[in-house]
Amino acid sequence: MEMGKKVVVTGVPGVGKTTVINGAMEKLAAEGITYEAVNFGTFMFDVACTKNLVSDRDEMRKLGKDDQKHLQQVAASEIAAMSADANIIIDTHSSISTPAGFLAGLPEWVLRELMPDVIVLVETDPDQILMRRLSDVSRVRDMEGARSIAGHQEFNRAIAAAYAMYTGCTIKIVGNDNHLLEHAIDDLVNVLR
Ligand code: AMP
Ligand code: MG
């Protein structure tokens, strides 16, 4: 049996990665190509809830590093178990901005489980991300300026290079600029097809 394609989609909070993923999946479904999308944070959150560690998903990045790494490990092995031969999109983060500094979203033990074919970095202008965060009342976003968001996006590219070295995956940068969502969706479709 042919192995499924594993695609990891990352981007700083508020860049719109979930929107781009949903748009791309819709287009591919019309072509008869099916992907299953899983949200890494949701797998972590389900475990965190049963352990009474947090009451909403935006509290997880404030937990101690060891708690976050444990949740991350459990999520990775659960996702690996369900994705053996399906095409799968994993909605997650290249790095997480925590009070103690950037935490790798895909450390070696997570990559070993997931072994992605490609890691997508969804990016846009930091000012646009700031505006999107301010208008999204459904989430508890960090108070952060555009300079800081720019630094986070830079770090995400840097650490993605390490992920490529470890796995041999490709790194695809997808710009999700204002009014150009269709463009971002088409770029993602091209790596998923
Ligand atoms: P999201 O809904 O994608 O913003 O993810 C919610 C939360 O899940 C993030 O703020 C992180 O705390 C956590 N999370 C998601 N992916 C990872 C990962 N690969 N490693 C560690 N934490 C993650
Ligand atoms: Mg999301």
Side-chain angles (χ1 to χ4, degrees):
M1 180 184 297
E2 208 183 320
M3 285 281 282
K5 200 161 171 181
K6 289 197 183 62
V7 179
V8 169
V9 179
T10 68
V12 296
V15 75
K17 57 189 185 321
T18 309
T19 309
V20 177
I21 289 171
N22 290 341
M25 289 194 20
E26 203 173 299
K27 281 209 168 168
L28 286 167
E31 294 179 19
I33 302 171
T34 55
Y35 270 85
E36 192 156 344
V38 301
N39 187 304
F40 198 102
T42 299
F43 276 76
M44 288 178 57
F45 184 53
D46 287 346
V47 180
C49 282
T50 61
K51 296 186 154 208
N52 278 316
L53 290 172
V54 293
S55 53
D56 90 69
R57 62 195 290 122
D58 288 307
E59 286 174 9
M60 290 194 293
R61 62 182 175 270
K62 315 289 182 199
L63 290 170
K65 177 160 75 78
D66 291 337
D67 277 333
Q68 292 189 60
K69 285 166 67 182
H70 173 71
L71 296 171
Q72 189 181 48
Q73 168 77 77
V74 175
S77 55
E78 286 183 5
I79 291 169
M82 63 171 279
S83 65
D85 39 48
N87 285 329
I88 187 164
I89 298 174
I90 301 155
D91 178 340
T92 186
H93 296 271
S94 191
S95 74
I96 294 87
S97 181
T98 82
F102 293 126
L103 180 79
L106 304 163
E108 176 270 331
W109 59 89
V110 170
L111 285 175
R112 205 188 320 128
E113 295 271 18
L114 301 181
M115 277 298 169
D117 298 285
V118 47
I119 296 177
V120 176
L121 305 188
V122 182
E123 299 181 345
T124 194
D125 182 73
D127 288 316
Q128 292 181 17
I129 293 169
L130 194 55
M131 298 298 284
R132 291 174 198 176
R133 286 186 188 174
L134 290 172
S135 62
D136 177 5
V137 293
S138 73
R139 296 290 298 267
V140 186
R141 302 301 197 188
D142 292 332
M143 275 302 158
E144 191 182 17
R147 286 274 292 276
S148 167
I149 295 171
H152 191 183
Q153 290 197 125
E154 241 171 70
F155 185 78
N156 283 342
R157 279 195 186 195
I159 198 166
Y163 303 155
M165 288 296 294
Y166 183 75
T167 61
C169 72
T170 53
I171 303 293
K172 173 71 180 175
I173 313 263
V174 169
N176 183 27
D177 299 329
N178 274 357
H179 315 298
L180 293 171
L181 176 62
E182 281 307 310
H183 206 279
I185 289 172
D186 287 339
D187 273 357
L188 182 57
V189 162
N190 285 331
V191 299
L192 295 171
R193 202 183 258 134

